[in-house]
Amino acid sequence: QVQLVESGGGLVQAGGSLRLSCAASVRFFRFNAVGWYRQAPGKQRDLVAIITSDGAINYADSVRGRFTISSDIAKNTVNLQMNSLQSEDTAVYYCNYNAQIRRTQSYSDYWGQGTQVTVSS
């Protein structure tokens, strides 16, 4: 069973920084994309940052220039460095892998349990 375990969330003042990490319990055979999403209360889950298998990186407009996504495929980890945090960044953050466990299996979405980030103004 695949588990994604996130860590690094917490409470921070506006202008501060946090670093989120996500570790997968398995080594994926291949992945399409790995990324971070967030969901604020009463809102839908939105993409924050994503790395695709060709190495391309994309960010939501609201975080570009402040957040940096990185991954270590060999260690099955993906990180999100968040700087200059704003109250609007308050949300539950989820990591996601769209990946194959084995060559014979189709790609599936795997989600972490979420980690709360709260930015006080």
Side-chain angles (χ1 to χ4, degrees), residues 27-52:
R27 177 161 293 181
F28 294 103
F29 171 73
R30 189 183 302 166
F31 77 102
N32 269 334
V34 57
W36 288 92
Y37 293 73
R38 67 186 181 187
Q39 187 168 19
K43 295 188 177 181
Q44 67 182 18
R45 189 174 298 186
D46 291 326
L47 174 69
V48 175
I50 193 168
I51 302 174
T52 55

Short mmCIF file of all heavy atoms in Angstrom, two decimals, residues 27-52:
data_model
loop_
_atom_site.label_atom_id
_atom_site.label_comp_id
_atom_site.label_asym_id
_atom_site.label_seq_id
_atom_site.Cartn_x
_atom_site.Cartn_y
_atom_site.Cartn_z
N ARG A 27 8.99 2.93 -3.97
CA ARG A 27 9.71 3.51 -5.10
C ARG A 27 8.85 3.28 -6.33
O ARG A 27 8.61 2.15 -6.72
CB ARG A 27 11.07 2.86 -5.26
CG ARG A 27 11.83 3.39 -6.48
CD ARG A 27 13.31 3.09 -6.36
NE ARG A 27 13.91 3.82 -5.27
CZ ARG A 27 15.19 3.75 -4.96
NH1 ARG A 27 16.00 2.96 -5.63
NH2 ARG A 27 15.67 4.45 -3.96
N PHE A 28 8.39 4.38 -6.91
CA PHE A 28 7.55 4.26 -8.08
C PHE A 28 8.36 3.82 -9.29
O PHE A 28 9.52 4.19 -9.45
CB PHE A 28 6.86 5.59 -8.37
CG PHE A 28 5.87 6.01 -7.32
CD1 PHE A 28 6.20 6.98 -6.39
CD2 PHE A 28 4.62 5.42 -7.25
CE1 PHE A 28 5.30 7.37 -5.41
CE2 PHE A 28 3.72 5.80 -6.28
CZ PHE A 28 4.06 6.77 -5.35
N PHE A 29 7.71 3.02 -10.14
CA PHE A 29 8.37 2.58 -11.36
C PHE A 29 8.57 3.76 -12.29
O PHE A 29 9.63 3.94 -12.89
CB PHE A 29 7.54 1.49 -12.02
CG PHE A 29 8.02 1.11 -13.40
CD1 PHE A 29 9.19 0.38 -13.56
CD2 PHE A 29 7.32 1.50 -14.53
CE1 PHE A 29 9.65 0.04 -14.82
CE2 PHE A 29 7.76 1.16 -15.79
CZ PHE A 29 8.93 0.43 -15.93
N ARG A 30 7.54 4.58 -12.43
CA ARG A 30 7.58 5.74 -13.31
C ARG A 30 6.54 6.74 -12.84
O ARG A 30 5.51 6.36 -12.28
CB ARG A 30 7.28 5.32 -14.74
CG ARG A 30 7.50 6.38 -15.81
CD ARG A 30 7.10 5.85 -17.18
NE ARG A 30 7.83 4.65 -17.53
CZ ARG A 30 7.50 3.85 -18.53
NH1 ARG A 30 6.42 4.08 -19.23
NH2 ARG A 30 8.23 2.78 -18.82
N PHE A 31 6.77 8.01 -13.05
CA PHE A 31 5.77 9.00 -12.67
C PHE A 31 5.52 9.98 -13.80
O PHE A 31 6.42 10.30 -14.58
CB PHE A 31 6.17 9.72 -11.39
CG PHE A 31 7.24 10.77 -11.58
CD1 PHE A 31 6.90 12.11 -11.64
CD2 PHE A 31 8.56 10.41 -11.69
CE1 PHE A 31 7.88 13.08 -11.80
CE2 PHE A 31 9.55 11.36 -11.86
CZ PHE A 31 9.21 12.71 -11.92
N ASN A 32 4.29 10.46 -13.88
CA ASN A 32 3.91 11.53 -14.80
C ASN A 32 4.24 12.89 -14.21
O ASN A 32 4.75 13.77 -14.88
CB ASN A 32 2.41 11.47 -15.10
CG ASN A 32 2.09 10.63 -16.31
OD1 ASN A 32 2.91 10.46 -17.20
ND2 ASN A 32 0.88 10.11 -16.34
N ALA A 33 3.86 13.02 -12.95
CA ALA A 33 4.03 14.32 -12.29
C ALA A 33 4.01 14.13 -10.79
O ALA A 33 3.41 13.18 -10.27
CB ALA A 33 2.93 15.28 -12.71
N VAL A 34 4.65 15.05 -10.11
CA VAL A 34 4.60 15.10 -8.66
C VAL A 34 4.40 16.56 -8.27
O VAL A 34 4.99 17.46 -8.88
CB VAL A 34 5.88 14.51 -8.04
CG1 VAL A 34 7.12 15.23 -8.54
CG2 VAL A 34 5.81 14.52 -6.53
N GLY A 35 3.54 16.78 -7.30
CA GLY A 35 3.25 18.17 -6.99
C GLY A 35 2.64 18.39 -5.64
O GLY A 35 2.44 17.45 -4.85
N TRP A 36 2.35 19.66 -5.37
CA TRP A 36 1.69 20.10 -4.15
C TRP A 36 0.41 20.82 -4.51
O TRP A 36 0.38 21.63 -5.45
CB TRP A 36 2.60 21.03 -3.35
CG TRP A 36 3.75 20.33 -2.70
CD1 TRP A 36 5.00 20.15 -3.20
CD2 TRP A 36 3.75 19.72 -1.41
NE1 TRP A 36 5.79 19.46 -2.31
CE2 TRP A 36 5.03 19.19 -1.19
CE3 TRP A 36 2.80 19.57 -0.40
CZ2 TRP A 36 5.39 18.52 -0.03
CZ3 TRP A 36 3.15 18.90 0.76
CH2 TRP A 36 4.42 18.38 0.94
N TYR A 37 -0.62 20.53 -3.74
CA TYR A 37 -1.91 21.18 -3.87
C TYR A 37 -2.29 21.74 -2.51
O TYR A 37 -1.73 21.35 -1.49
CB TYR A 37 -2.97 20.17 -4.33
CG TYR A 37 -2.77 19.65 -5.73
CD1 TYR A 37 -1.74 18.76 -6.03
CD2 TYR A 37 -3.61 20.06 -6.77
CE1 TYR A 37 -1.54 18.29 -7.32
CE2 TYR A 37 -3.43 19.59 -8.06
CZ TYR A 37 -2.39 18.71 -8.33
OH TYR A 37 -2.20 18.25 -9.60
N ARG A 38 -3.26 22.64 -2.50
CA ARG A 38 -3.74 23.15 -1.22
C ARG A 38 -5.24 23.39 -1.28
O ARG A 38 -5.80 23.64 -2.35
CB ARG A 38 -3.01 24.44 -0.83
CG ARG A 38 -3.29 25.65 -1.72
CD ARG A 38 -2.39 26.80 -1.31
NE ARG A 38 -2.64 28.00 -2.12
CZ ARG A 38 -1.91 29.10 -2.05
NH1 ARG A 38 -0.86 29.16 -1.21
NH2 ARG A 38 -2.20 30.14 -2.80
N GLN A 39 -5.83 23.31 -0.11
CA GLN A 39 -7.26 23.50 0.01
C GLN A 39 -7.55 24.36 1.23
O GLN A 39 -7.28 23.95 2.36
CB GLN A 39 -7.99 22.16 0.10
CG GLN A 39 -9.49 22.27 0.04
CD GLN A 39 -10.16 20.92 -0.15
OE1 GLN A 39 -9.56 19.87 0.09
NE2 GLN A 39 -11.39 20.94 -0.61
N ALA A 40 -8.10 25.52 0.97
CA ALA A 40 -8.51 26.41 2.05
C ALA A 40 -9.95 26.08 2.44
O ALA A 40 -10.69 25.49 1.64
CB ALA A 40 -8.40 27.87 1.61
N PRO A 41 -10.37 26.44 3.65
CA PRO A 41 -11.73 26.12 4.09
C PRO A 41 -12.79 26.66 3.14
O PRO A 41 -12.74 27.83 2.74
CB PRO A 41 -11.82 26.82 5.46
CG PRO A 41 -10.41 26.87 5.93
CD PRO A 41 -9.57 27.08 4.71
N GLY A 42 -13.69 25.79 2.73
CA GLY A 42 -14.78 26.20 1.86
C GLY A 42 -14.40 26.36 0.40
O GLY A 42 -15.22 26.81 -0.41
N LYS A 43 -13.17 25.99 0.06
CA LYS A 43 -12.71 26.16 -1.32
C LYS A 43 -12.27 24.82 -1.90
O LYS A 43 -12.07 23.84 -1.19
CB LYS A 43 -11.57 27.17 -1.38
CG LYS A 43 -11.98 28.57 -0.97
CD LYS A 43 -10.88 29.57 -1.24
CE LYS A 43 -11.33 30.98 -0.91
NZ LYS A 43 -10.25 31.98 -1.18
N GLN A 44 -12.10 24.78 -3.20
CA GLN A 44 -11.65 23.56 -3.85
C GLN A 44 -10.15 23.41 -3.69
O GLN A 44 -9.45 24.34 -3.33
CB GLN A 44 -12.01 23.60 -5.33
CG GLN A 44 -11.26 24.67 -6.13
CD GLN A 44 -11.69 24.69 -7.59
OE1 GLN A 44 -12.74 24.18 -7.96
NE2 GLN A 44 -10.86 25.27 -8.43
N ARG A 45 -9.69 22.19 -3.95
CA ARG A 45 -8.27 21.91 -3.90
C ARG A 45 -7.61 22.43 -5.19
O ARG A 45 -8.02 22.07 -6.29
CB ARG A 45 -8.04 20.41 -3.75
CG ARG A 45 -6.61 20.02 -3.47
CD ARG A 45 -6.47 18.54 -3.19
NE ARG A 45 -7.23 18.13 -2.01
CZ ARG A 45 -7.18 16.91 -1.49
NH1 ARG A 45 -6.40 15.99 -2.05
NH2 ARG A 45 -7.89 16.61 -0.42
N ASP A 46 -6.60 23.24 -5.03
CA ASP A 46 -5.94 23.88 -6.17
C ASP A 46 -4.47 23.48 -6.25
O ASP A 46 -3.82 23.24 -5.24
CB ASP A 46 -6.02 25.40 -6.06
CG ASP A 46 -7.43 25.92 -6.24
OD1 ASP A 46 -8.19 25.34 -7.03
OD2 ASP A 46 -7.75 26.93 -5.58
N LEU A 47 -3.98 23.48 -7.46
CA LEU A 47 -2.56 23.20 -7.70
C LEU A 47 -1.71 24.37 -7.19
O LEU A 47 -2.03 25.53 -7.43
CB LEU A 47 -2.31 22.99 -9.19
CG LEU A 47 -0.86 22.84 -9.61
CD1 LEU A 47 -0.30 21.53 -9.09
CD2 LEU A 47 -0.72 22.93 -11.12
N VAL A 48 -0.63 24.03 -6.51
CA VAL A 48 0.33 25.03 -6.05
C VAL A 48 1.59 24.98 -6.93
O VAL A 48 2.05 25.99 -7.45
CB VAL A 48 0.72 24.79 -4.59
CG1 VAL A 48 1.81 25.77 -4.15
CG2 VAL A 48 -0.50 24.91 -3.68
N ALA A 49 2.15 23.78 -7.08
CA ALA A 49 3.38 23.62 -7.85
C ALA A 49 3.47 22.18 -8.32
O ALA A 49 3.02 21.27 -7.61
CB ALA A 49 4.60 23.99 -7.02
N ILE A 50 4.09 21.98 -9.47
CA ILE A 50 4.15 20.64 -10.04
C ILE A 50 5.43 20.46 -10.84
O ILE A 50 5.92 21.40 -11.45
CB ILE A 50 2.90 20.38 -10.92
CG1 ILE A 50 2.77 18.90 -11.27
CG2 ILE A 50 2.92 21.26 -12.16
CD1 ILE A 50 1.42 18.56 -11.86
N ILE A 51 5.97 19.24 -10.78
CA ILE A 51 7.10 18.85 -11.61
C ILE A 51 6.62 17.69 -12.48
O ILE A 51 6.10 16.70 -11.97
CB ILE A 51 8.29 18.37 -10.76
CG1 ILE A 51 8.74 19.45 -9.78
CG2 ILE A 51 9.47 17.97 -11.67
CD1 ILE A 51 9.84 18.99 -8.83
N THR A 52 6.81 17.82 -13.78
CA THR A 52 6.42 16.74 -14.68
C THR A 52 7.63 15.87 -15.01
O THR A 52 8.77 16.24 -14.72
CB THR A 52 5.79 17.28 -15.96
OG1 THR A 52 6.69 18.21 -16.56
CG2 THR A 52 4.49 18.01 -15.64
#
